[in-house]
Amino acid sequence: MLNDRNVLFGLHELEGVGWKTIDRLASGVSGAYTELVRAEPGDLVAFGLKPNVAHGICARLTEAYIEQRLEAYERHGTSFLTALDSDYPALLREIAQPPWILYYRGDLKTLELPAIAMVGTRSPTVYGRKISFELARDLSANGVCVASGLARGIDSCAHRGALTGAGSTAAVLGCGPDTVYPVENASLYAEIEEKGVLVTEYPLGTQLKPGLFPQRNRIISGLSLGTVVVEAASRSGSLITADQALEQSRDVFAVPGPVTSPKSSGTLELIRQGAKMVASVEHILEEYRGLVPFGGSRREIGTRPDISASEEERKLLGLMAAVPVTFDELLMLSGMEFGHLHSVLLNLILKKKIAPLAGSSYMTL
């Protein structure tokens, strides 16, 4: 069926069409993506595309092509979520370049749970393996989804720990959904598909490229309330995820290690720069009291705690009762400090009481 959702999917499937190109086209047709199937190259050039790109899109983006790609995903057993969908993760929608499409395998409801990202070195010490497994296990036992990248080392330990609890885990791939990388994680991939969710912004058939992995890190942090770094050298790729978490106004936590260990130099530097030091799961959960069922019993995937709004949340809901309100207006009207207001708004988004809009505005649901 030809609709805006499927045309956006088809556009995303075209080789050589990236995030910015789709953004230009989305603005050009004001979100009416079906118009692109009938567009002429000159129309797309008027939206800011180069003539050769415009001709390529018009030649390939046909109803037959879209149907062909939809059938390919159905055969593969992979589903997808678009930025147009109401169940697109609210926190991910807030980042600078949210994925237009999220391909997934497994239980999508895993992404409805509060999430904490956990990343670190691909060659951890025994200490790092133990801590990442135990922290992830305890987060999951408290109904928190643990997001990571299915890489060797800390990522794998975090996924395995999280699979033992109700929060389970979300693996964000740096390749297409038809590729298991690294290959030794094939059984872990299968277990996450069964008990959690695997997500990627890369289509079927995407070849492994080093540059794709740093790019996916923004999704790991973007899905999460905060990012925990366990063992990272001073130039570790894990620090990219921590940097992106900070850019997204998310919390950054770091696990300390021996000052003599090169694998702890990055985490110790994060702590020196202001990241919260973590020695137990309580040091993470205490930042989200009222949002995460701190110390509570395990829950089944897809169920959400019945959390009533706090007095501050009710105050903000009252200010947004009639029309969308900007962050600056809420800052002035509420009397809250910048960081605290952002935290309360995040709570309301995750409780699905408000929705973020363009221009740093918010409205009640």
Side-chain angles (χ1 to χ4, degrees), residues 289-290 307-317 336 340 344 347-348 351 353:
R289 291 185 185 275
I307 307 169
S308 59
S310 67
E311 183 177 344
E312 289 179 323
E313 290 168 350
R314 288 194 295 272
K315 180 178 181 179
L316 293 185
L317 289 171
M336 296 182 190
H340 184 58
V344 178
N347 285 357
L348 287 170
K351 292 178 182 179
K353 293 183 180 293

Side-chain angles (χ1 to χ4, degrees), residues 192-215:
I192 294 173
E193 182 179 355
E194 179 185 354
K195 299 178 182 178
V197 68
L198 300 145
V199 300
T200 180
E201 67 176 327
Y202 303 120
L204 289 171
T206 301
Q207 299 298 310
L208 288 170
K209 297 176 183 176
L212 299 183
F213 291 89
Q215 181 72 6

Side-chain angles (χ1 to χ4, degrees), residues 225 287-292 304-321 330 334 336 340-354 362-365:
L225 292 163
E287 296 296 317
Y288 309 108
R289 291 185 185 275
L291 176 61
V292 173
R304 298 179 62 81
D306 181 19
I307 307 169
S308 59
S310 67
E311 183 177 344
E312 289 179 323
E313 290 168 350
R314 288 194 295 272
K315 180 178 181 179
L316 293 185
L317 289 171
L319 294 173
M320 289 181 273
L330 289 172
S334 68
M336 296 182 190
H340 184 58
L341 174 59
H342 188 272
S343 176
V344 178
L345 287 170
L346 276 179
N347 285 357
L348 287 170
I349 290 169
L350 283 161
K351 292 178 182 179
K352 295 194 173 180
K353 293 183 180 293
I354 66 170
Y362 302 85
M363 66 177 292
T364 55
L365 294 174

